[in-house]
Amino acid sequence: MDNQFAGQLNGKQKAWGFIVLLPLYFYVIPAVVNFVIYMLVKYGVLPVDQNMLGVYLNLFSGLLSLICAYVIFKDFIKDNFIMFKEHLFENVAWSMTFGIASVYIFSIVANIIINLLIDTSSHSAANQTLFETYLGSSMLWMIVQSVIIAPMLEEFIFRGLIFRTLRKYNKVLAHIVSSFVFGFIHIYTGLFAGDLSQLAYLFSYGLMGFAFSLAYEKKGTIFVPITIHMLNNFIAVAIIVFQSIFH
């Protein structure tokens, strides 16, 4: 049964999600933003700094996609937020303890698998490397993107849309597919560039997504995995910043 979760997505919302939001998120909005940035650089409005341009692309693509997701899923999001607020302390406390702990437990498992598959001293996660590069170029905007925008957008899409839609038919399939797609979106850039070692990191991001879907399953409101996702990304940013300060 699906009634343990807050909110419902009707057929129209699901159709808009799969037919409109996903193409916008994966291709259309990044392409449009990339074109606008190109024109601004061409006419001297923006400086030619490839890393900063990447920051702007991620930031504005994510923001526009999040706005589209909110418009499509507005009632669903409101119902989930109401349920989250009803047990605010319990949900936040659970997210900051059991929720984030599950992410790191799966991360340890993933790292063991990755180390068995590839030489991590010579192959790293392209997504992580790019993230660290962008963070060094603009800490403020990358914090906004990675700690606020990305967790909300990704949870609305991968847990709210994909997981909830599939769970109505098969719970196990919902966990597997939503986790796989979440993992794939974090490795596909490096993979399509010809680096097959990125396939190993599918375990890292995929198991992270699995931890988020388990949290959603447990608590019934999308704002619990959003909270865990935000906390996880904040900790990752903080570690990188402290490492840069003390090295």
Side-chain angles (χ1 to χ4, degrees), residues 93-109:
W94 192 91
S95 299
M96 296 179 67
T97 52
F98 295 104
I100 195 65
S102 67
V103 172
Y104 283 103
I105 289 171
F106 281 120
S107 177
I108 292 171
V109 173

Side-chain angles (χ1 to χ4, degrees), residues 11-66:
K12 183 178 179 180
Q13 288 174 311
K14 291 176 183 178
W16 276 92
F18 284 106
I19 298 172
V20 177
L21 179 59
L22 290 186
L24 285 175
Y25 168 63
F26 284 115
Y27 179 74
V28 178
I29 289 178
V32 171
V33 173
N34 190 57
F35 175 75
V36 172
I37 290 174
Y38 168 78
M39 296 302 293
L40 291 175
V41 171
K42 181 178 180 179
Y43 290 102
V45 179
L46 291 177
V48 184
D49 182 320
Q50 293 301 316
N51 290 336
M52 277 304 301
L53 297 181
V55 171
Y56 293 142
L57 176 61
N58 278 273
L59 177 66
F60 290 110
S61 295
L63 182 59
L64 290 173
S65 297
L66 181 59

Side-chain angles (χ1 to χ4, degrees), residues 170-182:
N170 188 294
K171 181 168 71 173
V172 174
L173 181 66
H175 283 289
I176 293 173
V177 172
S178 62
S179 300
F180 174 83
V181 178
F182 175 79

Side-chain angles (χ1 to χ4, degrees), residues 13 32-33 47 51 66 71 79 85 91-92 97 114 126 130 150 154 160 192-194 214 222 226:
Q13 288 174 311
V32 171
V33 173
N51 290 336
L66 181 59
V71 170
D79 289 342
K85 284 199 307 179
N91 285 327
V92 172
T97 52
I114 292 169
L130 190 62
E154 291 177 356
F192 289 171
L214 285 178
I222 197 72
I226 286 175

Side-chain angles (χ1 to χ4, degrees), residues 158-178:
F158 297 109
R159 256 59 65 182
L161 177 62
I162 297 176
F163 175 81
R164 280 293 297 279
T165 298
L166 293 176
R167 195 191 179 282
K168 181 180 179 180
Y169 304 101
N170 188 294
K171 181 168 71 173
V172 174
L173 181 66
H175 283 289
I176 293 173
V177 172
S178 62

Side-chain angles (χ1 to χ4, degrees), residues 95-142:
S95 299
M96 296 179 67
T97 52
F98 295 104
I100 195 65
S102 67
V103 172
Y104 283 103
I105 289 171
F106 281 120
S107 177
I108 292 171
V109 173
N111 286 334
I112 292 173
I113 296 173
I114 292 169
N115 279 283
L116 291 173
L117 294 174
I118 62 173
D119 180 8
T120 54
S121 63
S122 57
H123 297 92
S124 59
N127 183 74
Q128 180 67 18
T129 301
L130 190 62
F131 171 75
E132 293 177 9
T133 301
Y134 288 166
L135 186 64
S137 296
S138 179
M139 185 182 301
L140 174 61
W141 291 126
M142 283 305 295

